[in-house]
Amino acid sequence: MVTIYDIAKSTGYSAPTISKALNGTGGLSEKTRQKILSVAESLGYKPNMAARALTTKKAYLIGIIFEDIYMMRGFEHPLFGGILNKFRSEMENSGYDLIFLSRSFLARKQSYLEHCHHRNVDAVVIINPLSVDEEIEELVHSDIPCVSTNFVIPGVPSVVTANEESGYQAGKYLVECGHKKIGFIAGTIDKYNIASIERLNGLKKALAESGIEYDDDWTEHSKLWTREEGYNSMKRLYERHRELTAVFVANDNMAYGASSFLKSIGLKLPEDMSIIGFDDETASEFFSPTLTTFRQNRNLIGELSAEILMNKLVGIPVNECVQVPAEFIERNSVSKIY
Amino acid sequence: MVTIYDIAKSTGYSAPTISKALNGTGGLSEKTRQKILSVAESLGYKPNMAARALTTKKAYLIGIIFEDIYMMRGFEHPLFGGILNKFRSEMENSGYDLIFLSRSFLARKQSYLEHCHHRNVDAVVIINPLSVDEEIEELVHSDIPCVSTNFVIPGVPSVVTANEESGYQAGKYLVECGHKKIGFIAGTIDKYNIASIERLNGLKKALAESGIEYDDDWTEHSKLWTREEGYNSMKRLYERHRELTAVFVANDNMAYGASSFLKSIGLKLPEDMSIIGFDDETASEFFSPTLTTFRQNRNLIGELSAEILMNKLVGIPVNECVQVPAEFIERNSVSKIY
DNA sequence: CTGAAAGCGCTTACAG
DNA sequence: CTGAAAGCGCTTACAG
């Protein structure tokens, strides 16, 4: 490994001077700077981040909180994975490396914040935590800049899908198609993640505008965002309410499960029951019937959250909450019954 | 941040003694050790990895080479994402953090090896590189332990799917179903990634055993593993060879595209053409017809590659190549024509 | 414009 | 069994 001392020896300058040239700090003559830079280049010098981090307390490291306990698909999560793709490329372009924050390390437990200190993490993106509890509170109230892409935590800037807007759009569409008795299947609701509730509120708003009453008993709650939970929720909902002609399911994954229940009792989709999902997973395009859904803008969410973090890191003020519209994808899972 | 000096002050021992107690090195009396440990605990001490890495050259950091230029789905890649899920949890349990290795950092370019040195990376898992070139060679021939999960690079331990075995199984199955003229669509072939060729070889072997001739012109090559390439390859293949009754496509994603071409010219699947894919993506189960395919054991690949890396890190000899069988998933995309 | 000194938090010989 | 000294590679005041 070539160090600044090698460059010092090669050029005749001292280590601090090399450091200043490399970092563009301190008033060196242009000639000195160029010479040092070119020698550094030719020697193939790469700064040792451990040493730099030790002195500056800045490791150029972004912590990622990425767990998937509610859909249990990890990196294959249809939303999180996409967000992370773009976030990663944006941060790397800015010279930051990514590290996953985890709460278990060896046998010992550690908090997210401890993990950050341990690695001199500069900033954190909260894509999805194990749960929103004291640990997250501890982290966001520390001096480490944070941004969240799915959770709206007071005091933390966030980039989230405009859920209510999409719910509203779903409601409008269903009403246009002639539906009046519309069920709703919610996914996991967390203290700071109320996406399901927002989607439902949008739905209700659209119905209200058309003078259609919504019966709160038409809402069914799933504990997880899984297919199995979608199946069970649909079962419970259908057994209580045969009158429903459509159901808005808070994600595609649960919609697959919900459909599976309906098919299992001999119903034809969408004739006997219309479905709208959320996420636009790859599978939705092949589903029978092809699933009408909403596509969250994963790229934009990843990009904006990276931008917010970069701004916070250099002290530029940021908006507390940015909403990103989802795209309505009309397919064939809703029947027109007017 | 609490340091070992805080513990030293608190306990009356010197810094080196604290260090020895914390790391279990050096012959301290059990009493001293316990006292130091308990004080460290109560003070909430967490070692500063930057300082530790600077002295020991070990950062407890695993570099991940994870790019997806051939399917362009990043973390949503149906195989890579799954491997990474398990690999991550295994390494975290062993006290290692993960970092993505990248070749572009800020405006400047850097090689994978430079990135490793820059971060004091201990070992590397090559899930998928940008391309297998001098940079990968440079890395695997350095003193940094590597393992690969999809590429078989001489001198590098690898954990890969038993592709030929699966190809053989596909061939046997197709023959049993009465097929004799079977096309093959290959995905990207790289210097060290010949999964497609292995799958084809297995297919040929099965056919040969049944005395069925394989015409090499029935093989079509795709440049990428994408749906679009699958479409185009199927088109070229079909235009040359109307006699085919089945086609083995090297991954599901291309199989979707291939099917889409066949449907576009009015063919019925599987009656007019049978298809077998590879990967068992979520969508395959919903595809029309539901797709017969092979499920690679993502979990096991992730687990074994983590195990190999851990062994290399402590100097335990490892096998150069471990093959992991894929599971045959029989669905409805192959017609029985006997 | 350039350099000597000190320090970041830790560990490794070495001495006692 | 315990500690004083030195060093890992870098940067930050400070001095000249």
Side-chain angles (χ1 to χ4, degrees), chain B residues 14-29:
Chain B
S14 70
T17 300
I18 307 300
S19 170
K20 284 166 201 158
L22 257 20
N23 295 303
T25 57
L28 303 191
S29 77

Side-chain angles (χ1 to χ4, degrees), chain A residues 105-122:
Chain A
F105 216 56
L106 291 166
R108 282 174 273 156
K109 298 292 168 201
Q110 72 184 347
S111 72
Y112 287 132
L113 183 58
E114 282 171 340
H115 199 166
C116 287
H117 288 322
H118 181 246
R119 289 283 181 191
N120 294 106
V121 158
D122 297 301

Side-chain angles (χ1 to χ4, degrees), chain B residues 261-289:
Chain B
F261 167 74
L262 295 169
K263 290 172 184 170
S264 78
I265 56 167
L267 295 196
K268 297 257 170 292
L269 307 186
E271 297 81 354
D272 299 329
M273 184 71 82
S274 293
I275 307 260
I276 291 187
F278 215 99
D279 276 355
D280 192 30
E281 288 196 35
T282 308
S284 295
E285 151 183 14
F286 297 137
F287 200 71
S288 300

